[in-house]
Amino acid sequence: MVQAFVIAPGTYTAFESESELIDKCKEWGLLSEKAAKTKTFYYKGSGLNVVCSIVGYVDKMTAVIEFEDKRQHCIHPSYLKEMQASSFGQRFISAAEEPAEPEASAVAEEQQDTAAAEPPASQAAEAETPAEDVAKAEEGTHGETQAAEPPKAKAKKEKAAKIQLPEEKVKMTATVKEFTTVPNHFSDTDDEVVIYEEVSITEPETALGEAWSSYSATLKKLELEVGDILTFEAKVVAKKLTKHPVPYKINNPAKLQKQDA
């Protein structure tokens, strides 16, 4: 397999020697400070795990790599560094291989083992006391409850994914949960963002859970703190925040008001 999508560099600075390559890789954290020679680098993702060569750079935050078919691709050095880890992408594979309802299967096997080991009814009546019967009944009820839980949780997740977001601006409320930053591969600095919780659309009333927005100059004027409740008008879209499990983005909030605690 080959990389289907590449960001080809327009112009870039090519390395003129291995020592220049080694110095740049140390600067990017791709080689240790004690390294005296380069190493083999791999490009991973979308089913790929192929050898690539670092041949130059566009700027100090954009490396240029070359595949065996001579195609070139721009990549952030930090992302290339993540790809060198043996565990890169494994969490997705593990999740895909997990059985859908392991608890239900375990309960079924336990019931089969119990049935195979039970003595005839006449012997059981002599050996078991009423208290033991009650304990077994409670144990069976508990097992049935455990087996039924995974499908319910799955149904809730599917229902949440079907929220239809309005295309126009709507009135919203949200509570400030935290302030953080996310990498910007095309800038020397990270982007500042705000993560909100208890986010909801007021008309029609729709609970969204968590969302995020850029920490714009307008928001900074409000001198926000964690726990502040805001009302505003904005457009909300399904766009996940980089490296955070936040599914919705709030675009261009206006008519901002901070409610009194």
Side-chain angles (χ1 to χ4, degrees):
M1 294 180 66
V2 297
Q3 168 70 347
F5 173 74
V6 296
I7 303 174
T11 59
Y12 71 97
T13 303
F15 295 121
E16 296 182 355
S17 64
E18 184 177 9
S19 61
E20 186 179 355
L21 166 62
I22 292 172
D23 290 342
K24 202 65 177 178
C25 286
K26 289 180 179 179
E27 179 183 331
W28 287 332
L30 292 167
L31 291 174
S32 68
E33 289 299 325
K34 296 181 180 180
K37 60 181 180 179
T38 188
K39 66 178 184 180
T40 302
F41 292 97
Y42 295 90
Y43 183 93
K44 303 177 184 178
S46 303
L48 290 178
N49 186 355
V50 297
V51 175
C52 64
S53 302
I54 305 175
V55 296
Y57 57 93
V58 176
D59 52 47
K60 66 179 183 179
M61 299 305 291
T62 308
V64 178
I65 59 176
E66 187 173 275
F67 300 107
E68 291 181 342
D69 60 3
K70 301 303 180 182
R71 292 190 303 163
Q72 295 177 337
H73 178 58
C74 294
I75 188 171
H76 194 280
S78 297
Y79 191 41
L80 181 61
K81 182 179 179 180
E82 289 182 13
M83 291 182 178
Q84 307 317 302
S86 58
S87 60
F88 184 85
Q90 289 301 311
R91 61 183 181 275
F92 304 109
I93 297 174
S94 298
E97 291 178 350
E98 287 182 356
E101 297 179 359
E103 294 184 12
S105 299
V107 171
E109 290 178 2
E110 182 179 351
Q111 290 174 344
Q112 291 176 357
D113 293 342
T114 302
E118 283 181 350
S122 57
Q123 296 180 14
E126 295 174 358
E128 295 176 355
T129 64
E132 290 171 337
D133 291 339
V134 172
K136 280 196 172 185
E138 292 178 348
E139 181 181 355
T141 302
H142 177 69
E144 293 172 0
T145 302
Q146 293 295 321
E149 284 179 357
K152 289 181 181 179
K154 183 177 180 181
K156 288 181 179 179
K157 289 182 180 179
E158 291 177 351
K159 184 177 180 181
K162 295 179 181 178
I163 293 177
Q164 296 295 320
L165 299 175
E167 295 184 0
E168 67 282 353
K169 277 193 171 184
V170 290
K171 294 181 179 180
M172 303 182 67
T173 62
T175 301
V176 177
K177 180 180 180 181
E178 65 175 293
F179 302 90
T180 187
T181 59
V182 294
N184 184 335
H185 295 176
F186 302 98
S187 174
D188 294 341
T189 59
D190 292 342
D191 291 338
E192 295 179 281
V193 299
V194 185
I195 297 178
Y196 308 91
E197 60 185 353
E198 299 178 4
V199 181
S200 62
I201 300 171
T202 56
E203 295 179 7
E205 186 173 348
T206 307
L208 299 179
E210 292 189 344
W212 67 280
S213 74
S214 298
Y215 194 15
S216 64
T218 302
L219 286 171
K220 289 181 179 178
K221 289 180 181 178
L222 296 176
E223 299 180 349
L224 297 176
E225 295 181 359
V226 173
D228 283 345
I229 300 174
L230 298 177
T231 60
F232 51 87
E233 292 183 6
K235 183 176 180 180
V236 58
V237 296
K239 184 176 181 180
K240 186 178 178 182
L241 179 61
T242 304
K243 296 185 178 180
H244 294 79
V246 183
Y248 303 109
K249 182 185 179 184
I250 296 169
N251 284 334
N252 303 319
K255 298 182 181 180
L256 287 152
Q257 290 187 347
K258 184 166 61 172
Q259 296 185 6
D260 295 333

